[in-house]
Amino acid sequence: MAPRLVIFLALRQLWDKKLLNLIAALGVALGVAALITMNSIMQGFQMKFKGEILKISPHVTVYAKELDTSASLGAQWARAAGAKGPVLVTVAHEQPNDRTVSIKRPHELVHALERMPEVEAACRGINGQAILSFGTKNTGVDMRGVDPDEQNRCTPIAGYVEHGSWRAFAGARDGVVLGSGIAETLGAKVGDRVTLVAPAGGAVTLDVVGVFEVGIPAVDKARVYVNLEKAQTVLQRGSQIGRIEVRLRDPEASEPTARRIEAVTGYDTEGWQEANANFLSLFAMQNMIVGIQIASILTVGGFGILAIQIMLVMQRLKDISILRSVGLTRRDILFGVLIQGCLTAIVGGLTGDLLGWRIVKFLGSLKVKSEGLVKSSTFVVYEDPRFFVYGVVFALVVGAAASLVPAFRAARVEPVAVLRGQVG
Amino acid sequence: MTTPVVEARAVGRVLGEEVKQEVLKDVDLSVAPGEFVALTGHSGSGKSTLLYLLGILDRPTKGSVWVDGVDAGPLDDDERAALRNNKLGFVFQFHFLLGEFSAEENVMIPMLRRGVPRDEASGRAKKTLERLGIPELAGRRPGQMSGGQQQRVSIARAIANEPKLLLADEPTGNLDSVNAAVVMELFEKMSDDLGMAMVMVTHDNSFAARAARRLVMRDGRIVEEHARGT
């Protein structure tokens, strides 16, 4: 092959038909712009969601084990069948109050967990459903009984308290901190007195000492924090601890760490990824669907290149024959067309980068009030330079694939057939 | 005995896929270095087909074509392309220049394919255009030239690589008589100056008469052969 000659010829031919090639490039540009825009929006949203989740959720939660379930009857019978001598099989109906729902010696467990190198902090808590009343209004809440100082190390909630303060909560045994949505529903504000009632029958009167807003409507509209002892009282659980929340140094390592804690302590654990598996798998699905859409748009762009290159090859049969007669090989001709297709695609890719960048900037500046999974006042976009590189790389792949057909068509041209047709 | 620049040995060519037609039948032809051979005959007599076979643009159905002592039959496409590039030059009736390139660039392409550096190719292209009396056309594209000018540029392209054999398919067929005469003179001059052999297909008997040898074809065979002046 004569690479420099082939590139020279290809560039000139490309430039000579710049309008047509630009149209083909635009098809690819739209695909690349879509790739960048969609990825920026989705990654932006997903990362914001994960960020919010990580800010407010424990990385790993240790639960009191739900009833150390005996092996099923079937399994017991099976074991019995293989055993020698007498066998005891327990046949009993499980009652909910058989369940051991508290963590034994929680202080020691917290200290033990905090000595693990992966763990930054651990804290005790007890959760339960309750009804919060203010005046004539009631609302169901997700009550979190916590030690205020301990809790703030596990899930730094203090920073999200918008009215009142977490410090005031730490200093007041009868204090309650409401999610902003609950405060709004009840019309309660800092200084108001509210009543908390649990299905188990306990009731306490509390002072609103803070209102927090973390930006996740599901949390802001449901959660209240009360002192550990108050929660235990309301739930009538004595001094039991229902769960221990753990904050890790590396949140991404939640799953292996959770399994390790489970193995060591014998309690059930759940990492934040597992706890939010429904959302995370939704995101994975969403990414796949968007990926298919982008691939479709890029493929359509590729067909643009294919159509125009095929047309140009048919127009240039005479030129191809001349080039072959003066000594260019089939491979020279093949690469000439491939180069044109790839360059068209690269121009399309770079244009798409520019277009995508502008669109992302524009979307980022839009004021949008959204209150779905995550509360946000702007379009959350994430600009990753990798998207722009991917854009050009995908464009190049599409361009190369699309120009294969025209390139082989050009390389197959038999000069004599063309010359004979022309010369007669 | 010197090696012929091109030699056809019992060459036959069948064209057509459904209706087979024997366009060439057992043609033998040998062209000596520097020799000027004219191929004449009616349309469909097989002269263009023979020319394309001699230029190894086409493969014979039977027989063999030798270029400068090399049998072109066993060569693959790339080797045949290289052989064309090094040894052969083509001029066609419809002057076939590449429209996107200037005259100078058109002339440079065969040299660039051969690996001649750009500057040198450019210099040689300019010199060749000068030699053909058209240095002012160097920067022009084919669209800005007359038919006669284009044909002269295509001659420049054909001889730029100093081939051993120039193949011309009715090179004056599309030109008026004045331009045709100019082009014809150029061919003779180049053939004499550079010592290249030439095979020219032509309908014009007055031009054919100027060849060292004039071959008349009919129905795929060479039926008459005349030396100059006979």
Side-chain angles (χ1 to χ4, degrees):
Chain A
M1 211 178 89
R4 292 174 64 176
L5 173 62
V6 170
I7 291 168
F8 169 61
L9 294 173
L11 287 178
R12 180 66 62 84
Q13 289 182 329
L14 200 62
W15 184 247
D16 205 66
K17 294 276 186 276
K18 46 189 171 300
L19 185 63
L20 277 180
N21 287 310
L22 205 62
I23 291 170
L26 272 182
V28 176
L30 289 178
V32 170
L35 180 148
I36 289 166
T37 312
M38 305 281 259
N39 270 312
S40 297
I41 291 175
M42 285 201 325
Q43 290 295 322
F45 173 73
Q46 292 174 8
M47 284 174 70
K48 182 167 169 77
F49 179 80
K50 275 191 209 171
E52 302 291 341
I53 286 285
L54 282 177
K55 271 191 267 178
I56 198 62
S57 307
H59 298 160
V60 174
T61 308
V62 181
Y63 295 100
K65 206 157 197 135
E66 292 275 315
L67 188 67
D68 185 13
T69 332
S70 313
S72 72
L73 270 182
Q76 289 193 44
W77 284 116
R79 205 180 307 147
K84 289 176 186 137
V87 169
L88 175 69
V89 172
T90 316
V91 183
H93 179 61
E94 286 173 9
Q95 295 291 326
N97 53 7
D98 290 342
R99 299 185 180 200
T100 54
V101 284
S102 73
I103 288 175
K104 306 278 185 296
R105 294 197 284 188
H107 277 290
E108 286 170 32
L109 186 53
V110 165
H111 289 310
L113 286 171
E114 284 185 336
R115 274 200 297 275
M116 286 174 71
E118 306 93 316
V119 175
E120 196 177 305
C123 56
R124 299 159 301 142
I126 189 160
N127 285 11
Q129 300 300 316
I131 292 166
L132 192 66
S133 311
F134 177 60
T136 55
K137 291 182 180 162
N138 303 307
T139 186
V141 295
D142 169 20
M143 179 186 61
R144 301 284 169 114
V146 297
D147 177 306
D149 294 328
E150 229 179 59
Q151 183 66 32
N152 196 38
R153 285 190 290 129
C154 282
T155 53
I157 183 78
Y160 298 96
V161 176
E162 299 202 325
H163 305 288
S165 71
W166 192 260
R167 190 189 297 271
F169 177 50
R173 292 173 56 83
D174 290 339
V176 59
V177 178
L178 309 180
S180 60
I182 295 171
E184 202 176 312
T185 308
L186 295 181
K189 51 191 185 302
V190 174
D192 287 335
R193 179 156 286 198
V194 293
T195 311
L196 196 60
V197 184
V204 287
T205 305
L206 301 165
D207 294 321
V208 178
V209 293
V211 175
F212 70 87
E213 181 167 314
V214 292
I216 304 172
V219 172
D220 292 335
K221 285 181 176 167
R223 194 177 291 182
V224 301
Y225 286 96
V226 298
N227 270 294
L228 196 52
E229 298 77 22
K230 290 293 169 192
Q232 287 162 340
T233 307
V234 173
L235 296 170
Q236 300 192 333
R237 293 276 297 273
S239 59
Q240 288 177 349
I241 291 299
R243 57 195 245 150
I244 289 176
E245 296 186 355
V246 181
R247 184 173 186 81
L248 301 180
R249 294 183 201 284
D250 174 17
E252 296 299 324
S254 75
E255 296 307 325
T257 311
R259 278 195 297 278
R260 237 188 95 197
I261 294 172
E262 195 166 296
V264 173
T265 62
Y267 288 113
D268 277 347
T269 60
E270 188 180 60
W272 68 271
Q273 282 153 320
E274 191 185 343
N276 295 288
N278 49 346
F279 290 121
L280 296 180
S281 66
L282 194 70
F283 289 160
M285 176 73 84
Q286 196 184 27
N287 289 346
M288 201 176 76
I289 292 170
V290 167
I292 291 170
Q293 285 178 338
I294 291 168
S296 312
I297 302 174
L298 278 173
T299 307
V300 173
F303 273 103
I305 292 185
L306 191 149
I308 282 175
Q309 282 300 328
I310 283 267
M311 196 184 82
L312 290 177
V313 165
M314 299 315 282
Q315 278 182 8
R316 289 188 175 128
L317 290 180
K318 203 186 75 170
D319 292 8
I320 293 167
S321 305
I322 286 294
L323 289 170
R324 300 267 289 120
S325 79
V326 301
L328 271 77
T329 61
R330 288 186 196 276
R331 207 173 312 128
D332 292 332
I333 304 293
L334 180 95
F335 277 100
V337 178
L338 276 185
I339 288 171
Q340 294 187 49
C342 291
L343 281 178
T344 304
I346 289 175
V347 169
L350 292 173
T351 312
D353 274 1
L354 194 69
L355 199 62
W357 179 66
R358 291 307 310 162
I359 295 174
V360 168
K361 280 273 176 251
F362 172 70
L363 288 178
S365 72
L366 276 187
K367 293 271 173 280
V368 183
K369 195 145 182 68
S370 104
E371 236 186 87
L373 283 173
V374 179
K375 194 170 176 181
S376 170
S377 58
T378 55
F379 243 116
V380 188
V381 287
Y382 174 63
E383 284 175 66
D384 189 333
R386 278 179 306 177
F387 297 156
F388 295 87
V389 178
Y390 292 159
V392 177
V393 170
F394 285 136
L396 188 57
V397 170
V398 164
S403 38
L404 275 178
V405 174
F408 276 103
R409 177 71 191 79
R412 271 209 322 273
V413 167
E414 285 297 343
V416 173
V418 177
L419 297 172
R420 191 176 275 130
Q422 292 270 354
V423 176
Chain B
M1 199 184 116
T2 52
T3 315
V5 282
V6 71
E7 197 179 4
R9 296 183 186 169
V11 162
R13 182 74 173 99
V14 177
L15 288 180
E17 287 185 1
E18 283 170 16
V19 184
K20 306 261 187 221
Q21 196 192 350
E22 206 177 354
V23 187
L24 278 186
K25 298 162 187 163
D26 288 326
V27 172
D28 288 291
L29 173 65
S30 175
V31 179
E35 193 183 13
F36 177 8
V37 177
L39 280 176
T40 61
H42 294 296
S43 293
S45 59
K47 27 185 217 310
S48 290
T49 304
L50 178 59
L51 193 81
Y52 296 141
L53 287 171
L54 295 178
I56 57 173
L57 276 170
D58 195 10
R59 287 175 186 270
T61 315
K62 60 180 185 183
S64 58
V65 174
W66 297 64
V67 174
D68 205 22
V70 176
D71 183 3
L75 301 183
D76 66 22
D77 275 346
D78 286 3
E79 292 164 329
R80 290 162 71 92
L83 198 58
R84 280 198 296 274
N85 185 248
N86 292 326
K87 304 271 168 89
L88 306 175
F90 290 89
V91 179
F92 302 100
Q93 182 177 3
F94 294 99
H95 34 74
F96 288 153
L97 293 174
L98 300 186
E100 294 105 344
F101 299 85
S102 69
E104 184 186 326
E105 287 164 341
N106 266 285
V107 176
M108 283 163 69
I109 288 170
M111 292 189 271
L112 294 175
R113 181 64 190 83
R114 200 177 191 174
V116 175
R118 228 187 138 80
D119 291 347
E120 193 189 329
S122 167
R124 272 166 65 181
K126 284 201 182 88
K127 216 169 274 172
T128 312
L129 289 171
E130 229 164 86
R131 188 182 238 160
L132 293 175
I134 43 171
E136 74 279 6
L137 296 184
R140 280 201 225 166
R141 290 200 179 186
Q144 303 163 314
M145 298 180 213
S146 71
Q149 288 174 325
Q150 289 186 46
Q151 193 59 303
R152 280 194 264 176
V153 173
S154 76
I155 294 171
R157 182 182 62 199
I159 65 176
N161 256 352
E162 298 182 351
K164 295 210 159 183
L165 174 64
L166 195 63
L167 296 156
D169 191 3
E170 306 222 24
T172 58
N174 213 32
L175 302 177
D176 60 54
S177 56
V178 176
N179 271 308
V182 170
V183 164
M184 208 47 219
E185 266 162 39
L186 281 176
F187 272 122
E188 287 178 321
K189 187 166 177 295
M190 291 304 121
S191 180
D192 291 346
D193 286 3
L194 303 170
M196 61 182 81
M198 183 156 65
V199 177
M200 178 188 291
V201 167
T202 181
H203 271 119
D204 190 317
N205 284 327
S206 65
F207 291 149
R210 290 152 80 164
R213 247 197 312 161
R214 181 161 63 93
L215 307 175
V216 181
M217 293 191 69
R218 190 179 304 138
D219 299 332
R221 291 180 206 279
I222 296 173
V223 290
E224 290 172 36
E225 183 167 343
H226 306 275
R228 179 152 38 201
T230 61

